[in-house]
Amino acid sequence: MWSDNETTEDLLGFKVHADLIAEVINDSDLLPITMGVFGDWGSGKSSILKILSEQLKEEEDGTFVLYFNGWLFEGYDDAKAALLESIIKEFEENKRFTPEVKQKAKKLIKSVNWMRILGLGFKNIALPVASAYLTEGVSILPFLAGKLSKIDSSDIIDKLKGDEAEGFLKSLVKDLPEEDPSMLVREFRENFKELIKESKISKLVIIIDDLDRCQPDRIIENLEAIKLFLNVENTAFIIGADPRIVRDAISHRFKVRDVEPGTGNRIVSDYLEKLIQVPYNLPKLSDSEVETYISLLICKRELTTETFHTVLETFYAYRENDRYSVFGLANIKGVIGTVEFEKLSKSLGSLPALSSIITQSLYGNPRQIKRFLNTFILRNRLAKVANISGFDESILAKLMILEYTELPLFVKLYEWQSTKDGRPNQILELETECSKSSEADFKEYLGKSDYSNWNKDKVVKWLKVEPALSEIDLRDYFWISRDNISSTIAGASLIPPIIKSTYNKLNQEGLPVKATKAIIKKDVMLLNESELNQFLEFSVAMAQRNQESPLSYKLFQFMIEEGVRGSDESYKYLLNLVDLAKIPPAIGVDLRSFKENPVLGDFLSELLSTSKSKVAKAFNK
């Protein structure tokens, strides 16, 4: 099994990205700078940031590196203040700094407390205010300090303890000059700049990861805190996030729609460019990189720690001279023993041969690949525990590719084999036609046959990859996959933030049909293949939980009408799972429009013809 945690162990050759980012922030002429390390959920952002952090910490040039997880500030009432306080506390508590620096940091933290007070309406924080004042915490606000200095100290304590504390504090700031907030920002920046200068560090590098897991308001608060208060000389901020989530947060904050490039409305783009100066987009893994990654993951699992480190060093040396080719068994053979090599060869099985389909199907996403392999290992172990004889790992791997990427087709194959003692005639027909025809002829055949849903490039590739399934009893393989026959993968696993965000946009009571379809066009149809499959699976899972909600069914209706690929098959899959008695009758009326749909037409007629449910009666009227 493989952990999903970020790591400094570079199995992807991602050090080159960390090296590039380090080169940028080591150029003092470019500071201050805010860089965005942008990539999809699970694309390897966190690992790159960890590698970068360790790399910078090893440099002996006075660099001070701080690493934060954006999620840490999710539960705070004021994420701006929480981020500022966390950063300054590092100066106060780090042993490398002098007592003078620590004292300055302590005073700056008190200033942060004042900012939190001014931004929150003062509720439930009266005593901390009194404490800050009596220990000179108001130095950053001379205006308020002057106000408080005219009041007897004992009276201040009494007023701040009483029920009128909020009114008392508001009375102090009611005539605060309008320009004071900007003065507050300027003064804080000057004090922060002075703190860095007195710390004798050459530059401050702050790395913030997982920002895209936060709520929209928290994302913007963190980015604004960096831009407004911390972006001073000799600082570099590296932000790891999915840019789509950040754009969505900006849209949410300013209540504007994020539009297509070239439409003239650039509010979201302009604001993002203001917050993040240099975007660095991580590329999708290539076929050769996926095959290499799979090989190294299995090496890590099968080999001793010492031997694996030898393999890893060999990989790093190989990548210095060749960035494009596969680093696989042939390269590993010379650096490990014969017994270990045989064990490794057996473990890899047909996975390298499937790497091109894995790349296309899982969109070259390291997290998805790792999760796929973890499930593969668990099921393989289950087969051994259950003493299944003649079990072939390569068949399991091939079936799992279909399961992860085309769940409705996987379920269809399950249905076929369940009535034919594990050997369905349909897969024999498909594989026979595929083997004797050119790809173009085979796709033409699929388009005109009952197998039109199989007419996809990646499915055709899947059919061509060995081993063939037509002579195999598939019952045991589906038996160990039965957890996913009755539920979706999405229901039992982590969901990328972009999937949840897109679904939440659509899952709103009272959202006009026009707005719903606009979101489908703008967000759903632009998801990559892997994300779209996950979105459809997640939508099915959510509909299963809320079977009486019309919204769940309407969403599929609108997606089908807008031509979202795979939405009709997913709707069919959902209707097979839910209790017809729980479906609102009005949905039966909507389903009539699909009587001529090639995927849903005959299925609906058969499903609802004999049912006594209200939805069936509405459909059959």
Side-chain angles (χ1 to χ4, degrees), residues 14-123:
F14 271 3
K15 186 176 182 295
V16 64
H17 301 297
D19 289 344
L20 176 60
I21 298 168
E23 188 173 312
V24 171
I25 62 182
N26 281 333
D27 186 343
S28 58
D29 293 336
L30 297 177
L31 303 182
I33 192 170
T34 303
M35 290 187 70
V37 179
F38 288 159
D40 299 344
W41 175 84
S43 60
K45 301 183 297 293
S46 296
S47 293
I48 289 174
L49 295 181
K50 280 290 184 183
I51 292 169
L52 174 67
S53 176
E54 294 302 314
Q55 188 171 315
L56 292 173
K57 285 177 181 177
E58 291 175 2
E59 295 180 0
E60 298 180 359
D61 64 346
T63 299
F64 187 37
V65 183
L66 302 179
Y67 191 103
F68 295 101
N69 187 305
W71 235 354
L72 293 175
F73 311 114
E74 179 67 19
Y76 285 86
D77 49 21
D78 185 338
K80 276 195 188 84
L83 175 62
L84 298 179
E85 185 174 337
S86 297
I87 291 170
I88 299 165
K89 267 189 174 296
E90 294 285 345
F91 283 88
E92 182 187 8
E93 297 174 356
N94 196 290
K95 294 179 181 179
R96 71 186 285 178
F97 299 124
T98 64
E100 290 77 17
V101 169
K102 293 181 178 183
Q103 186 60 31
K104 191 171 187 66
K106 193 172 184 178
K107 287 187 177 181
L108 206 50
I109 288 173
K110 292 172 184 173
S111 300
V112 174
N113 290 334
W114 273 107
M115 279 184 274
R116 180 182 275 118
I117 291 164
L118 290 176
L120 283 180
F122 314 103
K123 284 188 181 293

Side-chain angles (χ1 to χ4, degrees), residues 72-280:
L72 293 175
F73 311 114
E74 179 67 19
Y76 285 86
D77 49 21
D78 185 338
K80 276 195 188 84
L83 175 62
L84 298 179
E85 185 174 337
S86 297
I87 291 170
I88 299 165
K89 267 189 174 296
E90 294 285 345
F91 283 88
E92 182 187 8
E93 297 174 356
N94 196 290
K95 294 179 181 179
R96 71 186 285 178
F97 299 124
T98 64
E100 290 77 17
V101 169
K102 293 181 178 183
Q103 186 60 31
K104 191 171 187 66
K106 193 172 184 178
K107 287 187 177 181
L108 206 50
I109 288 173
K110 292 172 184 173
S111 300
V112 174
N113 290 334
W114 273 107
M115 279 184 274
R116 180 182 275 118
I117 291 164
L118 290 176
L120 283 180
F122 314 103
K123 284 188 181 293
N124 302 318
I125 48 174
L127 288 178
V129 174
S131 174
Y133 168 67
L134 296 174
T135 54
E136 303 178 343
V138 296
S139 59
I140 195 169
L141 285 175
F143 179 85
L144 288 180
K147 286 272 189 178
L148 290 169
S149 66
K150 298 174 183 177
I151 304 172
D152 186 87
S153 296
S154 58
D155 289 341
I156 293 175
I157 296 296
D158 290 339
K159 289 179 182 294
L160 291 175
K161 282 182 177 179
D163 295 334
E164 304 300 320
E166 183 178 344
F168 167 65
L169 288 169
K170 284 183 176 178
S171 71
L172 294 178
V173 296
K174 66 181 180 181
D175 55 346
L176 193 66
E178 289 186 5
E179 67 273 13
D180 194 74
S182 62
M183 177 277 293
L184 178 67
V185 172
R186 285 198 304 272
E187 189 168 347
F188 183 92
R189 285 170 63 91
E190 287 301 317
N191 287 337
F192 186 63
K193 187 192 301 183
E194 192 65 26
L195 176 66
I196 294 174
K197 183 177 179 181
E198 291 186 16
S199 301
K200 308 294 183 186
I201 58 176
S202 60
K203 61 178 171 292
L204 171 65
V205 179
I206 297 174
I207 298 172
I208 300 180
D209 192 15
D210 276 340
L211 192 64
D212 48 16
R213 292 183 181 271
C214 299
Q215 293 297 315
D217 287 339
R218 293 295 185 262
I219 292 174
I220 300 303
E221 283 184 36
N222 277 293
L223 291 173
E224 287 181 340
I226 291 168
K227 192 67 179 178
L228 291 171
F229 296 100
L230 303 171
N231 192 35
V232 301
E233 294 173 13
N234 301 319
T235 60
F237 295 87
I238 315 298
I239 315 294
D242 184 330
R244 296 168 298 180
I245 295 295
V246 179
R247 294 183 70 92
D248 186 52
I250 297 170
S251 300
H252 173 84
R253 172 65 172 268
F254 295 104
K255 295 180 173 56
V256 295
R257 281 185 55 218
D258 190 8
V259 294
E260 296 292 335
T263 58
N265 186 345
R266 283 188 49 88
I267 293 176
V268 173
S269 295
D270 288 347
Y271 199 74
L272 181 59
E273 289 169 10
K274 186 175 285 291
L275 293 174
I276 295 179
Q277 298 162 264
V278 181
Y280 183 63

Side-chain angles (χ1 to χ4, degrees), residues 276-296:
I276 295 179
Q277 298 162 264
V278 181
Y280 183 63
N281 296 288
L282 298 183
K284 183 184 77 170
L285 297 181
S286 66
D287 291 1
S288 63
E289 287 172 324
V290 169
E291 186 171 341
T292 298
Y293 184 52
I294 290 172
S295 298
L296 289 174

Side-chain angles (χ1 to χ4, degrees), residues 217-472:
D217 287 339
R218 293 295 185 262
I219 292 174
I220 300 303
E221 283 184 36
N222 277 293
L223 291 173
E224 287 181 340
I226 291 168
K227 192 67 179 178
L228 291 171
F229 296 100
L230 303 171
N231 192 35
V232 301
E233 294 173 13
N234 301 319
T235 60
F237 295 87
I238 315 298
I239 315 294
D242 184 330
R244 296 168 298 180
I245 295 295
V246 179
R247 294 183 70 92
D248 186 52
I250 297 170
S251 300
H252 173 84
R253 172 65 172 268
F254 295 104
K255 295 180 173 56
V256 295
R257 281 185 55 218
D258 190 8
V259 294
E260 296 292 335
T263 58
N265 186 345
R266 283 188 49 88
I267 293 176
V268 173
S269 295
D270 288 347
Y271 199 74
L272 181 59
E273 289 169 10
K274 186 175 285 291
L275 293 174
I276 295 179
Q277 298 162 264
V278 181
Y280 183 63
N281 296 288
L282 298 183
K284 183 184 77 170
L285 297 181
S286 66
D287 291 1
S288 63
E289 287 172 324
V290 169
E291 186 171 341
T292 298
Y293 184 52
I294 290 172
S295 298
L296 289 174
L297 283 173
I298 293 177
C299 280
K300 183 176 181 180
R301 183 175 70 93
E302 297 291 352
L303 303 177
T304 65
T305 302
E306 185 178 350
T307 305
F308 175 64
H309 284 157
T310 301
V311 170
L312 206 53
E313 290 300 321
T314 306
F315 165 63
Y316 293 154
Y318 180 84
R319 272 289 173 262
E320 289 289 326
N321 301 309
D322 188 343
R323 299 191 183 279
Y324 310 107
S325 302
V326 174
F327 180 84
L329 278 175
N331 309 93
I332 297 166
K333 186 175 183 179
V335 296
I336 63 176
T338 305
V339 175
E340 288 176 313
F341 181 75
E342 289 178 359
K343 181 182 179 183
L344 195 60
S345 301
K346 186 177 179 181
S347 294
L348 279 168
S350 63
L351 286 173
L354 291 165
S355 62
S356 63
I357 304 179
I358 293 174
T359 303
Q360 185 179 4
S361 302
L362 303 183
Y363 208 66
N365 185 292
R367 177 173 291 147
Q368 295 281 25
I369 293 166
K370 193 179 285 187
R371 289 172 58 218
F372 171 85
L373 291 176
N374 278 336
T375 305
F376 173 75
I377 294 299
L378 276 175
R379 290 182 178 174
N380 196 30
R381 287 180 183 174
L382 176 59
K384 291 177 181 177
V385 171
N387 293 317
I388 297 176
S389 61
F391 189 81
D392 189 333
E393 292 181 358
S394 60
I395 293 173
L396 172 63
K398 183 171 180 176
L399 284 171
M400 280 185 58
I401 291 288
L402 187 66
E403 175 187 6
Y404 260 59
T405 60
E406 292 291 337
L407 187 59
L409 297 186
F410 178 77
V411 174
K412 176 56 69 177
L413 182 56
Y414 164 74
E415 292 170 355
W416 287 345
Q417 66 84 39
S418 65
T419 61
K420 295 292 183 179
D421 294 328
R423 291 181 169 86
N425 296 331
Q426 294 91 335
I427 199 69
L428 173 61
E429 186 178 338
L430 284 168
E431 289 184 343
T432 302
E433 191 66 35
C434 182
S435 64
K436 71 180 185 182
S437 307
S438 68
E439 186 168 324
D441 289 343
F442 181 57
K443 293 189 74 175
E444 184 178 353
Y445 158 79
L446 290 173
K448 296 178 179 179
S449 70
D450 294 334
Y451 305 119
S452 57
N453 294 329
W454 296 70
N455 192 10
K456 302 176 183 179
D457 288 341
K458 65 179 177 182
V459 178
V460 172
K461 285 183 180 179
W462 177 85
L463 284 165
K464 286 180 176 292
V465 168
E466 293 292 335
L469 303 179
S470 52
E471 299 301 324
I472 306 297

